[in-house]
Amino acid sequence: MNSIAPQPGIMDITLYQGGKAAVEGVSNVVKLSSNENPFGPSPAAQEAVRRSVHELHRYPSTDHAGLRQAIAEVHGLDANRIICGVGSDEIIHFLCQCYAGPGDEVVHSVHGFGMYRISAMAAGATPVEVTERERVTDVDAFLAGCSDRTKLVFLANPNNPTGTMIGMAEIERLAEGIPPKAILVLDGAYAEYVDGYDGGAQLVEARDNVVMTRTFSKLYGLGGLRVGWGYGPQAIIDVLNRIRGPFNLSGTALAAAEAAVRDRAFVEKCLVENARMRTWLAEALAEHGVPSDTSMANFILARFGTAEEAADCDAYLQSQGLIVRRVAGYKLPAALRITVGDESSCRRVAHAVGQFKAGQR
């Protein structure tokens, strides 16, 4: 009998399921399952990648100084309090490894990002799930879910996969109300899509118990290179850096991310197009009898009457070469998450949903 066993709780972790990328027997698919930027990365980022091939034999920077400085300049932050990781997922993992363990609790919402639960359990902590109110974060439920064992509270704002968000007054109320030894983590993977929202940066500046995370995988179109970052009190960032691998980001990833964050014209173009097509897609789906909450991100959570109808629509879309995201794993079995693609993709998926609904009658 094999006596080699993992740490307690590891085998209880359910594997994270990413968005589907292919349909068997169907070529020319349109992937709208992973909230990727339909315009890809900035031309400046692409050029940075091309230049980086000449330095592939060199180890990358260990302190990420160039990227941290670029982020700090663009967002008006202190570069010394920024940490970079392999996607914002790694920052989430660092937080759980450093601040939660056996006997501790990590609080997140029922429809929150799947990595909160996985990273908590990987650290030996207990994930605590709290309810939402009509697919919107409920601060009172978060506060009720906290206890003297709570060490981390994860809030995605805007949330994935719902696309909804709460205002700064409610976030401040949450930060004020959590236990004294707990950290509020504001996951801002989609923060850039909200006009005038700083992702919680000012709250980080004002308090010693708030950290925010961001990613280059969505708006910046660098999901394939895996770059994210976090911003928090100096004491917390210093702790996280103690377990960060010295070469966790490649030279190519660092160069591409720095070029991407500085290319503000490309960012603005992507934001304008996303806002335009997000409104169009939501209205087009509603005309076909498929409602959605007002999304503040780059996707629509399309709601159907039953889980069976959502599954049937997903199957029909796949037959038409359109891949969207089933979100039953996020306890939303009667919904499909649809990335806001370019105009052609949005028109195709809306037309196909209309055909599906018409075929039911």
Side-chain angles (χ1 to χ4, degrees):
M1 182 176 177
N2 192 340
S3 60
I4 300 174
Q7 288 289 328
I10 296 296
M11 296 309 295
D12 296 327
I13 296 174
T14 302
L15 291 176
Y16 180 83
Q17 298 294 320
K20 196 170 181 177
V23 179
E24 189 175 346
V26 180
S27 58
N28 255 347
V29 298
V30 174
K31 185 187 176 196
L32 300 172
S33 59
S34 297
N35 302 339
E36 296 154 335
N37 186 333
F39 303 105
S42 139
Q46 295 181 44
E47 179 57 31
V49 169
R50 283 190 285 270
R51 289 197 305 270
S52 76
V53 301
H54 303 293
E55 298 292 326
L56 294 183
H57 58 304
R58 304 293 186 193
Y59 277 94
S61 157
T62 60
D63 63 6
H64 311 149
L67 177 55
R68 289 189 296 106
Q69 187 59 42
I71 292 169
E73 289 175 12
V74 167
H75 294 288
L77 306 176
D78 177 358
N80 293 321
R81 292 164 57 194
I82 295 171
I83 181 172
C84 299
V86 182
S88 52
D89 309 41
E90 190 175 39
I91 310 301
I92 291 166
H93 192 70
F94 290 161
L95 285 159
C96 289
Q97 289 291 311
C98 289
Y99 288 100
D104 297 329
E105 294 178 347
V106 174
V107 181
H108 62 88
S109 72
V110 63
H111 303 312
F113 182 38
M115 288 307 299
Y116 306 150
R117 177 181 178 84
I118 290 174
S119 293
M121 293 178 72
T126 302
V128 175
E129 193 175 89
V130 299
T131 59
E132 295 180 7
R133 184 181 292 123
E134 294 294 308
R135 298 166 304 281
V136 178
T137 294
D138 184 344
V139 168
D140 290 325
F142 263 103
L143 294 175
C146 289
S147 72
D148 58 3
R149 294 189 298 275
T150 302
K151 293 299 174 65
L152 292 164
V153 177
F154 283 104
L155 169 62
N157 201 52
N159 192 31
N160 169 32
T162 62
T164 60
M165 70 180 294
I166 58 173
M168 191 51 67
E170 281 292 272
I171 297 173
E172 289 173 356
R173 185 164 74 89
L174 179 58
E176 184 66 34
I178 63 175
K181 294 182 179 179
I183 299 170
L184 172 61
V185 183
L186 298 176
D187 180 350
Y190 300 93
E192 285 96 346
Y193 291 101
V194 185
D195 188 34
Y197 177 50
D198 68 0
Q202 290 185 40
L203 195 60
V204 173
E205 303 288 12
R207 304 188 62 89
D208 60 5
N209 68 337
V210 180
V211 172
M212 75 174 189
T213 65
R214 303 285 272 272
T215 185
F216 281 87
S217 298
K218 305 305 178 184
L219 176 62
Y220 293 105
L222 294 178
L225 285 181
R226 314 305 304 122
V227 187
W229 56 280
Y231 187 63
Q234 191 71 62
I236 293 176
I237 298 303
D238 287 348
V239 168
L240 302 186
N241 270 316
R242 291 175 182 272
I243 68 166
R244 177 180 65 81
F247 304 110
N248 61 326
L249 288 177
S250 71
T252 298
L254 289 167
E258 182 176 345
V261 76
R262 292 190 185 280
D263 190 348
R264 304 317 294 173
F266 182 79
V267 164
E268 186 59 29
K269 169 198 164 186
C270 294
L271 288 174
V272 168
E273 277 302 290
N274 179 77
R276 181 174 76 91
M277 294 315 302
R278 180 178 61 195
T279 299
W280 183 91
L281 181 58
E283 291 175 353
L285 292 174
E287 288 175 5
H288 295 308
V290 180
S292 61
D293 299 310
T294 299
S295 173
M296 304 304 292
N298 68 336
F299 57 85
I300 300 288
L301 185 69
R303 302 203 309 276
F304 295 82
T306 64
E308 182 182 19
E309 185 186 16
D312 289 346
C313 184
D314 180 46
Y316 178 75
L317 292 176
Q318 288 188 46
S319 75
Q320 302 301 301
L322 297 162
I323 305 175
V324 299
R325 181 71 183 269
R326 295 280 301 279
V327 284
Y330 283 95
K331 302 188 178 179
L332 291 162
L336 297 175
R337 194 190 68 190
I338 306 173
T339 302
V340 177
D342 58 16
E343 183 163 352
S344 172
S345 300
C346 289
R347 290 187 180 277
R348 273 189 63 182
V349 76
H351 178 69
V353 170
Q355 287 184 314
F356 168 77
K357 293 291 284 187
Q360 289 185 309
R361 292 195 287 271

